[in-house]
Amino acid sequence: MLVLATLAGALGTVSGCSSSSATDTDWKAQKAYGATMAKKGFWREALFRFQKAAQQKPDDAEIQNNLAVGYEATGETARALAAYRRAIELSPNDANIRRNYARFAEYYTAAQRTGAPAEAPTPAPTPRPTP
Amino acid sequence: MTARPRLAGTLAAGLALAAAAGPLLAGSFEAKLRLPIRPKLAVTGRERISIAPFIVASRTTDKKEATRIQDFDLDAEFRRHLGKLLGKRTKMTLVTMPADVKLPTSVLKDLTENSEFWRAVGARTGADLLLTGVVDFKVENKSGYRTEEYVSPIDRRTYYRQILVESTGFTFDVSIVALDGRTGAKLFTENFRDAKEKPKRAADEMVGLFENLFSLESQLLGLFVVRDREANRYVFD
């Protein structure tokens, strides 16, 4: 009886912690769902979830990192750069974030060298009027 | 009698520990993503494109080393290769450049600034985009003496000796200029270079040239089509 009572008490404490507020669980759920989508390669959906999570928890380095990866995967390099910088600012010693940022910088530089990554491509030729 | 409270205490401590470790166990994983590299030129991909003659930068190729390419038309070969590449790998319409179109100058700067000429070429061919530039291919004898370690079978001591290593270097250099077929204005200039070395003195020059060209294919295509590359990034879950 005593064992059961203790178990019930402990479980009560755990569940009480996880549902302390609706918002708290929501950003976690958005982040986790976004990560699952990222794992499957659905980057648009993942980005949408990370954006939702970032709206609720703007000062979370992990969410900013995920957001940056999402932007990178969808070709929005300027936004990715801003999000990576924010993530580094929030958690300067996180090895994974630093590694991601270094890899992103490599891609960004290489893309600029061989073909612009996107934001400012050379203007297109003037279209000819169709006869 | 004391066993039950002890067991209960252990269980409670274990659960508390698990609850505390929850966020730590969240962790991260490496996700694969394909990063788009957009083309240098903002094209729809369905433009009409025409390849004008290219300036051949120098005819300084060491003739003793490149006997097979003495009378080789580098401009024509490069244009044929580029045309084939664009025709196969892009959706652009390749317009044949009339054979009588000759470049008014062999100075790249003057050539790209001559918008009158390019406008006329554009009007004649009906192309939206015109390509020109400078090509250069060099064959060099890279043979030379190198120092090598040598263990004598007689006294088992290590000596150093000079050995002749024969090799041939192939360098292909191209500057591509894209011009607006309607206005004659320059849109961009991009330079590509590939250097290779073959471990033989008289390696075939034509093979060297096409190896250079094949190496540059993806970079050349990057001017006109979206490419992507695979990458890994850490995502927190």
Side-chain angles (χ1 to χ4, degrees):
Chain A
M1 283 292 281
L2 188 63
V3 174
L4 283 173
T6 319
L7 255 172
L11 282 171
T13 317
V14 172
S15 60
C17 282
S18 63
S19 62
S20 58
S21 74
T23 325
D24 189 44
T25 50
D26 195 39
W27 70 261
K28 278 182 187 164
Q30 296 286 5
K31 182 184 162 198
Y33 189 68
T36 310
M37 291 296 105
K39 217 176 256 180
K40 289 179 179 175
F42 301 142
W43 284 103
R44 291 263 165 219
E45 181 63 26
L47 176 62
F48 176 74
R49 297 294 164 184
F50 295 144
Q51 281 170 330
K52 289 266 175 206
Q55 276 168 10
Q56 291 163 23
K57 193 94 171 158
D59 293 336
D60 187 295
E62 292 188 0
I63 293 174
Q64 288 299 326
N65 169 82
N66 290 2
L67 195 60
V69 178
Y71 279 133
E72 206 183 340
T74 50
E76 294 185 59
T77 45
R79 284 181 173 168
L81 179 66
Y84 274 129
R85 282 189 178 153
R86 181 84 184 115
I88 293 264
E89 198 180 291
L90 293 166
S91 182
N93 299 319
D94 189 303
N96 286 350
I97 297 176
R98 293 185 74 86
R99 234 169 271 154
N100 272 359
Y101 184 56
R103 289 175 187 179
F104 167 73
E106 186 198 357
Y107 156 67
Y108 193 68
T109 317
Q112 273 183 324
R113 205 159 46 84
T114 54
E119 277 71 24
T122 315
T126 323
R128 271 179 196 282
T130 44
Chain B
M1 287 291 278
T2 53
R4 275 187 178 179
R6 198 177 295 154
L7 179 66
T10 314
L11 268 169
L15 282 166
L17 194 70
L24 294 173
L25 291 172
S28 62
F29 63 92
E30 262 195 299
K32 278 197 193 316
L33 54 156
R34 299 203 70 85
L35 299 174
I37 301 178
R38 294 198 189 160
K40 175 85 179 169
L41 194 66
V43 286
T44 60
R46 297 188 183 275
E47 283 82 358
R48 291 164 62 83
I49 189 166
S50 191
I51 308 170
F54 276 65
I55 300 165
V56 178
S58 63
R59 299 196 186 271
T60 54
T61 303
D62 185 350
K63 295 203 172 173
K64 276 185 285 182
E65 302 302 326
T67 47
R68 278 174 289 246
I69 58 160
Q70 275 176 31
D71 304 315
F72 177 69
D73 190 348
L74 184 60
D75 165 43
E77 282 305 316
F78 176 67
R79 283 197 287 153
R80 186 183 61 80
H81 181 81
L82 184 62
K84 205 166 77 177
L85 192 67
L86 293 175
K88 268 189 187 169
R89 307 276 292 273
T90 72
K91 286 178 179 156
M92 290 175 161
T93 308
L94 202 66
V95 183
T96 312
M97 179 66 58
D100 59 347
V101 172
K102 302 277 178 242
L103 297 179
T105 169
S106 58
V107 180
L108 187 66
K109 191 175 177 291
D110 298 345
L111 185 68
T112 55
E113 284 171 0
N114 195 343
S115 51
E116 279 293 310
F117 170 75
W118 293 114
R119 206 165 40 229
V121 173
R124 200 171 155 196
T125 56
D128 302 304
L129 198 63
L130 299 164
L131 300 181
T132 186
V134 185
V135 273
D136 192 17
F137 177 60
K138 278 186 183 143
V139 182
E140 289 160 306
N141 178 13
K142 298 257 183 182
S143 304
Y145 285 93
R146 278 164 213 177
T147 309
E148 187 187 75
E149 260 189 21
Y150 163 73
V151 180
S152 166
I154 301 161
D155 60 7
R156 299 280 166 212
R157 288 172 68 184
T158 303
Y159 296 93
Y160 291 92
R161 64 182 178 187
Q162 296 280 307
I163 55 153
L164 176 70
V165 179
E166 291 192 324
S167 68
T168 313
F170 302 103
T171 311
F172 186 83
D173 208 318
V174 59
S175 291
I176 292 187
V177 183
L179 302 126
D180 190 322
R182 194 145 185 235
T183 63
K186 185 177 90 171
L187 297 169
F188 71 81
T189 306
E190 197 70 43
N191 185 263
F192 302 102
R193 190 170 197 272
D194 185 63
K196 286 202 165 28
E197 207 170 312
K198 289 273 169 192
K200 249 175 87 181
R201 187 151 181 258
D204 194 284
E205 297 86 2
M206 298 299 256
V207 174
L209 170 69
F210 284 101
E211 277 187 9
N212 284 144
L213 284 174
F214 291 139
S215 301
L216 289 173
E217 269 187 4
S218 118
Q219 289 182 56
L220 289 170
L221 276 174
L223 297 173
F224 310 100
V225 290
V226 178
R227 293 171 303 150
D228 57 18
R229 60 181 261 196
E230 203 172 85
N232 290 342
R233 296 287 185 271
Y234 290 98
V235 172
F236 295 94
D237 49 16

XYZ file of all heavy atoms in Angstrom, chain A residues 49-124:
589
model
N 6.510 24.485 -38.173
C 6.437 24.108 -36.743
C 7.482 24.853 -35.927
O 7.208 25.306 -34.816
C 6.639 22.597 -36.585
C 5.573 21.770 -37.257
C 4.229 21.957 -36.599
N 3.163 21.462 -37.463
C 1.879 21.573 -37.184
N 1.473 22.168 -36.080
N 0.979 21.098 -38.003
N 8.685 24.968 -36.473
C 9.741 25.671 -35.738
C 9.404 27.162 -35.594
O 9.716 27.774 -34.576
C 11.104 25.495 -36.435
C 11.610 24.075 -36.459
C 12.305 23.579 -37.556
C 11.379 23.212 -35.382
C 12.761 22.269 -37.583
C 11.830 21.898 -35.401
C 12.522 21.423 -36.512
N 8.752 27.705 -36.616
C 8.334 29.114 -36.527
C 7.311 29.294 -35.414
O 7.369 30.244 -34.641
C 7.740 29.578 -37.866
C 8.798 29.910 -38.898
C 8.221 30.143 -40.278
O 7.193 29.566 -40.637
N 8.899 30.957 -41.068
N 6.370 28.357 -35.325
C 5.349 28.388 -34.262
C 6.013 28.314 -32.900
O 5.659 29.055 -31.980
C 4.381 27.204 -34.421
C 3.459 27.333 -35.587
C 2.161 27.950 -35.138
C 1.241 28.207 -36.324
N 0.304 29.279 -36.064
N 6.971 27.392 -32.778
C 7.665 27.216 -31.497
C 8.456 28.476 -31.143
O 8.456 28.911 -29.984
C 8.601 26.011 -31.582
N 9.074 29.091 -32.158
C 9.887 30.287 -31.917
C 9.023 31.480 -31.514
O 9.465 32.338 -30.747
C 10.698 30.614 -33.154
N 7.789 31.504 -32.014
C 6.874 32.593 -31.626
C 6.580 32.530 -30.130
O 6.495 33.536 -29.442
C 5.557 32.474 -32.392
C 5.613 33.111 -33.776
C 4.427 32.728 -34.623
O 3.445 32.140 -34.157
N 4.511 33.051 -35.901
N 6.449 31.291 -29.637
C 6.132 31.114 -28.211
C 7.368 31.171 -27.330
O 7.285 31.540 -26.170
C 5.426 29.768 -28.022
C 4.032 29.736 -28.622
C 3.530 28.320 -28.797
O 3.977 27.396 -28.127
N 2.593 28.141 -29.702
N 8.484 30.765 -27.862
C 9.715 30.689 -27.063
C 10.858 31.312 -27.871
O 11.724 30.600 -28.392
C 9.979 29.202 -26.750
C 11.008 28.950 -25.714
C 10.429 28.781 -24.337
C 11.517 28.313 -23.393
N 11.209 28.609 -22.006
N 10.860 32.638 -28.011
C 11.864 33.260 -28.896
C 13.298 33.193 -28.385
O 14.232 33.365 -29.168
C 11.395 34.715 -29.009
C 10.472 34.931 -27.888
C 9.924 33.621 -27.445
N 13.472 32.944 -27.101
C 14.834 32.934 -26.557
C 15.391 31.529 -26.338
O 16.265 31.326 -25.492
C 14.878 33.723 -25.240
C 14.623 35.193 -25.493
O 14.862 35.637 -26.630
O 14.151 35.894 -24.577
N 14.909 30.591 -27.100
C 15.420 29.229 -26.972
C 16.424 28.964 -28.103
O 16.078 29.023 -29.289
C 14.243 28.236 -27.060
C 14.684 26.819 -26.753
O 15.488 26.270 -27.546
O 14.236 26.269 -25.743
N 17.656 28.690 -27.715
C 18.731 28.509 -28.709
C 18.468 27.316 -29.619
O 18.728 27.366 -30.825
C 20.051 28.328 -27.988
N 17.921 26.245 -29.038
C 17.675 25.038 -29.843
C 16.618 25.301 -30.914
O 16.746 24.841 -32.049
C 17.230 23.882 -28.935
C 18.347 23.410 -28.028
C 18.003 22.155 -27.247
O 16.874 21.637 -27.410
O 18.859 21.705 -26.472
N 15.587 26.033 -30.537
C 14.535 26.346 -31.519
C 15.091 27.268 -32.601
O 14.820 27.080 -33.795
C 13.303 26.973 -30.828
C 12.629 25.929 -29.940
C 12.308 27.504 -31.851
C 11.498 26.442 -29.094
N 15.899 28.237 -32.195
C 16.508 29.141 -33.192
C 17.401 28.355 -34.148
O 17.434 28.619 -35.342
C 17.326 30.235 -32.490
C 16.482 31.285 -31.776
C 15.564 32.059 -32.715
O 15.898 32.324 -33.865
N 14.381 32.413 -32.221
N 18.104 27.363 -33.601
C 18.958 26.513 -34.443
C 18.102 25.730 -35.446
O 18.393 25.701 -36.643
C 19.743 25.546 -33.557
C 20.443 24.476 -34.370
O 21.517 24.690 -34.907
N 19.801 23.310 -34.498
N 17.031 25.119 -34.928
C 16.148 24.344 -35.810
C 15.530 25.231 -36.891
O 15.414 24.834 -38.056
C 15.032 23.677 -35.002
C 15.569 22.564 -34.123
O 16.772 22.322 -34.085
N 14.687 21.893 -33.405
N 15.163 26.423 -36.470
C 14.575 27.393 -37.391
C 15.583 27.715 -38.503
O 15.235 27.754 -39.690
C 14.244 28.655 -36.591
C 13.325 29.694 -37.207
C 11.968 29.096 -37.523
C 13.142 30.865 -36.246
N 16.829 27.920 -38.103
C 17.890 28.232 -39.070
C 18.065 27.090 -40.067
O 18.174 27.319 -41.276
C 19.199 28.496 -38.342
N 18.051 25.864 -39.563
C 18.207 24.702 -40.450
C 17.018 24.639 -41.424
O 17.188 24.375 -42.616
C 18.339 23.389 -39.641
C 18.454 22.180 -40.564
C 19.550 23.442 -38.718
N 15.837 24.920 -40.897
C 14.629 24.928 -41.729
C 14.723 25.963 -42.839
O 14.414 25.687 -43.998
N 15.183 27.152 -42.475
C 15.344 28.218 -43.482
C 16.389 27.815 -44.516
O 16.229 28.042 -45.710
C 15.787 29.519 -42.811
C 14.662 30.300 -42.168
C 14.788 30.816 -40.879
C 13.472 30.549 -42.856
C 13.766 31.534 -40.279
C 12.438 31.274 -42.265
C 12.596 31.769 -40.976
O 11.580 32.484 -40.410
N 17.444 27.202 -44.029
C 18.523 26.784 -44.928
C 18.003 25.756 -45.937
O 18.284 25.839 -47.126
C 19.640 26.173 -44.083
C 20.984 26.256 -44.718
C 22.053 25.572 -43.897
O 21.865 25.356 -42.680
O 23.067 25.224 -44.472
N 17.234 24.798 -45.420
C 16.715 23.727 -46.274
C 15.738 24.248 -47.318
O 15.576 23.648 -48.375
C 16.040 22.660 -45.432
N 15.078 25.373 -47.014
C 14.108 25.910 -47.970
C 14.703 27.046 -48.808
O 13.996 27.724 -49.529
C 12.840 26.401 -47.240
O 13.245 27.261 -46.168
C 12.034 25.263 -46.688
N 16.002 27.248 -48.674
C 16.700 28.212 -49.536
C 16.679 29.650 -49.063
O 17.109 30.543 -49.778
N 16.172 29.887 -47.840
C 16.130 31.268 -47.338
C 17.387 31.535 -46.513
O 17.360 31.538 -45.274
C 14.870 31.474 -46.504
C 13.613 31.374 -47.329
C 12.370 31.687 -46.519
O 12.267 32.791 -45.984
O 11.521 30.791 -46.399
N 18.466 31.761 -47.222
C 19.768 31.822 -46.550
C 19.944 33.050 -45.644
O 20.609 32.941 -44.622
C 20.905 31.774 -47.578
O 20.581 32.643 -48.639
C 21.107 30.376 -48.110
N 19.354 34.181 -46.026
C 19.512 35.386 -45.193
C 18.845 35.178 -43.834
O 19.389 35.545 -42.790
C 18.922 36.591 -45.902
N 17.661 34.561 -43.863
C 16.951 34.289 -42.611
C 17.676 33.221 -41.793
O 17.692 33.275 -40.564
C 15.524 33.838 -42.900
C 14.669 35.003 -43.290
C 13.265 34.587 -43.557
N 12.432 35.754 -43.762
C 11.213 35.709 -44.234
N 10.673 34.563 -44.539
N 10.514 36.808 -44.399
N 18.246 32.251 -42.508
C 19.002 31.191 -41.822
C 20.184 31.809 -41.082
O 20.438 31.482 -39.918
C 19.490 30.161 -42.827
N 20.860 32.713 -41.741
C 22.022 33.373 -41.133
C 21.607 34.120 -39.860
O 22.264 33.995 -38.814
C 22.644 34.348 -42.150
C 23.848 35.143 -41.692
C 25.034 34.233 -41.439
C 24.233 36.186 -42.744
N 20.502 34.851 -39.951
C 20.026 35.608 -38.790
C 19.667 34.667 -37.637
O 20.008 34.926 -36.473
C 18.823 36.451 -39.181
N 19.004 33.557 -37.958
C 18.593 32.606 -36.913
C 19.800 31.906 -36.291
O 19.846 31.690 -35.079
C 17.623 31.586 -37.493
N 20.782 31.559 -37.116
C 22.005 30.932 -36.571
C 22.709 31.900 -35.619
O 23.179 31.506 -34.553
C 22.962 30.541 -37.698
C 22.700 29.175 -38.297
C 22.585 29.011 -39.660
C 22.590 28.045 -37.487
C 22.352 27.760 -40.228
C 22.356 26.794 -38.040
C 22.238 26.660 -39.402
O 22.006 25.427 -39.944
N 22.779 33.153 -36.034
C 23.447 34.156 -35.188
C 22.736 34.299 -33.856
O 23.362 34.427 -32.804
C 23.490 35.503 -35.907
C 24.587 35.508 -36.951
C 24.775 36.879 -37.507
N 25.857 36.881 -38.480
C 25.970 37.725 -39.484
N 25.064 38.643 -39.650
N 26.990 37.665 -40.298
N 21.419 34.287 -33.901
C 20.616 34.394 -32.675
C 20.871 33.165 -31.789
O 21.022 33.289 -30.578
C 19.135 34.494 -33.057
C 18.196 34.625 -31.907
C 18.054 36.064 -31.448
N 17.202 36.138 -30.259
C 17.629 36.522 -29.071
N 18.875 36.910 -28.897
N 16.810 36.571 -28.044
N 20.916 31.990 -32.407
C 21.139 30.750 -31.653
C 22.506 30.775 -30.969
O 22.633 30.415 -29.799
C 21.038 29.547 -32.581
N 23.507 31.236 -31.681
C 24.875 31.314 -31.132
C 24.912 32.329 -29.986
O 25.549 32.110 -28.962
C 25.886 31.722 -32.242
C 26.005 30.622 -33.286
C 27.228 32.145 -31.674
C 27.132 29.639 -33.137
N 24.178 33.408 -30.182
C 24.116 34.468 -29.163
C 23.485 33.924 -27.872
O 23.958 34.186 -26.779
C 23.249 35.582 -29.742
C 23.370 36.937 -29.079
C 22.425 37.904 -29.788
O 22.694 38.245 -30.948
O 21.395 38.275 -29.171
N 22.451 33.117 -28.047
C 21.745 32.561 -26.893
C 22.521 31.430 -26.220
O 22.435 31.244 -25.015
C 20.361 32.043 -27.318
C 19.355 33.102 -27.755
C 18.180 32.462 -28.464
C 18.871 33.911 -26.555
N 23.237 30.662 -27.022
C 23.989 29.547 -26.450
C 25.359 29.454 -27.135
O 25.564 28.635 -28.028
C 23.178 28.256 -26.632
O 23.842 27.187 -26.053
N 26.270 30.312 -26.704
C 27.552 30.392 -27.426
C 28.429 29.151 -27.323
O 29.317 28.960 -28.153
C 28.251 31.596 -26.805
C 27.468 31.987 -25.614
C 26.167 31.289 -25.628
N 28.177 28.308 -26.346
C 29.057 27.144 -26.165
C 28.473 25.825 -26.661
O 29.069 24.774 -26.450
C 29.447 27.003 -24.692
C 30.204 28.222 -24.221
O 31.049 28.746 -24.949
N 29.872 28.708 -23.042
N 27.321 25.874 -27.295
C 26.712 24.629 -27.765
C 27.464 24.127 -29.002
O 27.492 24.801 -30.049
C 25.230 24.868 -28.109
C 24.512 23.558 -28.380
O 24.955 22.802 -29.270
O 23.523 23.271 -27.683
N 28.070 22.957 -28.871
C 28.917 22.415 -29.945
C 28.115 22.145 -31.226
O 28.605 22.407 -32.329
C 29.584 21.139 -29.471
N 26.889 21.626 -31.073
C 26.093 21.296 -32.267
C 25.692 22.554 -33.041
O 25.716 22.565 -34.274
C 24.833 20.520 -31.871
C 25.165 19.089 -31.496
O 26.289 18.630 -31.697
N 24.204 18.390 -30.919
N 25.330 23.580 -32.302
C 24.936 24.830 -32.974
C 26.150 25.436 -33.676
O 26.072 25.887 -34.815
C 24.311 25.833 -31.973
C 23.023 25.249 -31.384
C 24.023 27.173 -32.648
C 22.362 26.092 -30.305
N 27.258 25.407 -33.016
C 28.491 25.960 -33.601
C 28.884 25.188 -34.866
O 29.286 25.774 -35.861
C 29.641 25.922 -32.588
C 29.421 26.849 -31.408
C 30.636 26.867 -30.515
N 31.701 27.636 -31.135
C 31.828 28.950 -31.013
N 30.954 29.633 -30.296
N 32.810 29.581 -31.595
N 28.741 23.859 -34.801
C 29.065 23.025 -35.957
C 28.128 23.357 -37.134
O 28.551 23.493 -38.265
C 28.906 21.547 -35.579
C 30.159 20.734 -35.873
C 30.065 19.378 -35.248
N 30.585 19.400 -33.902
C 30.231 18.572 -32.936
N 29.312 17.658 -33.151
N 30.790 18.631 -31.751
N 26.833 23.459 -36.807
C 25.860 23.807 -37.860
C 26.211 25.140 -38.500
O 26.159 25.288 -39.726
C 24.457 23.931 -37.246
C 23.731 22.613 -37.213
O 24.247 21.598 -37.661
N 22.540 22.618 -36.655
N 26.563 26.092 -37.662
C 26.852 27.435 -38.159
C 28.081 27.410 -39.073
O 28.102 28.050 -40.124
C 27.056 28.390 -36.979
C 27.263 29.824 -37.395
C 26.325 30.470 -38.196
C 28.388 30.534 -36.997
C 26.506 31.789 -38.589
C 28.581 31.854 -37.378
C 27.634 32.474 -38.180
O 27.820 33.768 -38.565
N 29.085 26.628 -38.673
C 30.311 26.518 -39.484
C 29.991 25.889 -40.845
O 30.458 26.352 -41.886
C 31.349 25.688 -38.747
N 29.175 24.842 -40.825
C 28.809 24.169 -42.080
C 27.978 25.094 -42.972
O 28.127 25.106 -44.185
C 28.010 22.896 -41.793
C 28.876 21.810 -41.195
C 28.023 20.624 -40.816
N 28.769 19.628 -40.091
C 28.230 18.504 -39.631
N 26.946 18.255 -39.829
N 28.948 17.635 -38.965
N 27.095 25.843 -42.322
C 26.269 26.786 -43.081
C 27.167 27.842 -43.742
O 26.985 28.178 -44.910
C 25.251 27.466 -42.159
C 24.586 28.655 -42.781
C 23.625 28.488 -43.775
C 24.921 29.952 -42.397
C 23.017 29.593 -44.364
C 24.325 31.047 -42.983
C 23.362 30.876 -43.970
N 28.128 28.335 -42.969
C 29.038 29.364 -43.498
C 29.806 28.822 -44.703
O 29.999 29.527 -45.703
C 30.001 29.811 -42.418
N 30.180 27.554 -44.635
C 30.918 26.928 -45.742
C 30.033 26.884 -47.000
O 30.457 27.250 -48.090
C 31.337 25.519 -45.338
C 32.221 24.847 -46.358
C 32.269 23.347 -46.176
O 31.668 22.828 -45.220
O 32.908 22.700 -47.020
N 28.795 26.431 -46.797
C 27.850 26.339 -47.916
C 27.585 27.716 -48.524
O 27.600 27.900 -49.732
C 26.542 25.707 -47.427
C 25.325 26.063 -48.255
C 25.195 25.614 -49.560
C 24.300 26.847 -47.721
C 24.078 25.948 -50.323
C 23.193 27.186 -48.465
C 23.085 26.733 -49.767
O 21.989 27.065 -50.517
N 27.365 28.671 -47.643
C 27.019 30.020 -48.062
C 28.149 30.623 -48.894
O 27.924 31.202 -49.953
C 26.757 30.859 -46.814
C 26.097 32.180 -47.085
C 24.784 32.242 -47.539
C 26.773 33.373 -46.875
C 24.168 33.450 -47.783
C 26.166 34.588 -47.113
C 24.859 34.621 -47.564
O 24.255 35.822 -47.811
N 29.379 30.426 -48.418
C 30.545 30.963 -49.128
C 30.726 30.260 -50.471
O 30.948 30.920 -51.493
C 31.820 30.772 -48.275
O 31.514 31.109 -46.939
C 32.960 31.627 -48.762
N 30.619 28.924 -50.455
C 30.796 28.160 -51.698
C 29.722 28.531 -52.715
O 30.016 28.684 -53.905
C 30.738 26.672 -51.404
N 28.512 28.680 -52.237
C 27.407 29.014 -53.135
C 27.619 30.388 -53.748
O 27.322 30.600 -54.917
C 26.091 28.973 -52.381
N 28.164 31.295 -52.981
C 28.412 32.638 -53.505
C 29.526 32.625 -54.541
O 29.528 33.403 -55.469
C 28.798 33.579 -52.371
C 27.582 34.201 -51.714
C 27.965 35.190 -50.652
O 28.941 35.003 -49.937
N 27.195 36.227 -50.532
N 30.473 31.684 -54.360
C 31.606 31.602 -55.273
C 31.203 30.992 -56.618
O 31.592 31.483 -57.660
C 32.697 30.748 -54.617
C 34.088 31.029 -55.096
C 35.098 30.557 -54.072
N 34.816 29.232 -53.567
C 35.187 28.110 -54.170
N 35.849 28.160 -55.289
N 34.902 26.942 -53.632
N 30.391 29.930 -56.567
C 30.066 29.224 -57.810
C 28.763 29.675 -58.455
O 28.581 29.533 -59.637
C 29.960 27.708 -57.572
O 29.033 27.495 -56.513
C 31.298 27.110 -57.225
N 27.891 30.220 -57.676
C 26.598 30.660 -58.183
C 25.881 31.239 -56.994
O 25.865 30.623 -55.956
N 25.348 32.408 -57.136
C 24.779 33.099 -55.978
C 23.728 32.258 -55.289
O 22.943 31.581 -55.946
C 24.175 34.404 -56.427
N 23.666 32.210 -53.948
C 22.715 31.369 -53.264
C 21.274 31.818 -53.412
O 20.387 31.058 -53.167
C 23.137 31.451 -51.806
C 23.887 32.697 -51.693
C 24.532 32.919 -53.015
N 21.043 33.054 -53.759
C 19.671 33.388 -54.019
C 19.294 34.840 -53.950
O 18.655 35.337 -54.852
C 18.764 32.636 -53.093
N 19.691 35.477 -52.875
C 19.091 36.783 -52.610
C 19.286 37.796 -53.745
O 18.428 38.564 -54.036
C 19.618 37.359 -51.305
C 18.875 36.826 -50.086
C 19.192 35.379 -49.795
O 20.271 34.931 -50.208
O 18.372 34.696 -49.181
N 20.457 37.776 -54.360
C 20.699 38.779 -55.393
C 21.276 38.167 -56.666
O 22.425 38.379 -56.990
C 21.632 39.841 -54.857
N 20.498 37.377 -57.391
C 21.033 36.854 -58.646
C 21.121 37.967 -59.690
O 20.455 38.991 -59.570
C 20.029 35.788 -59.059
C 18.793 36.098 -58.325
C 19.118 36.976 -57.165
N 21.952 37.738 -60.705
C 22.091 38.716 -61.780
C 20.736 38.856 -62.476
O 20.044 37.861 -62.656
C 23.141 38.195 -62.781
O 24.241 37.725 -62.029
C 23.577 39.267 -63.742
N 20.361 40.080 -62.841
C 19.039 40.232 -63.461
C 18.877 39.411 -64.726
O 19.848 39.152 -65.437
C 18.968 41.736 -63.757
C 20.351 42.238 -63.634
C 21.066 41.330 -62.695
N 17.659 39.039 -64.988
C 17.361 38.218 -66.164
C 17.424 39.067 -67.429
O 17.292 40.287 -67.359
C 15.954 37.646 -66.013
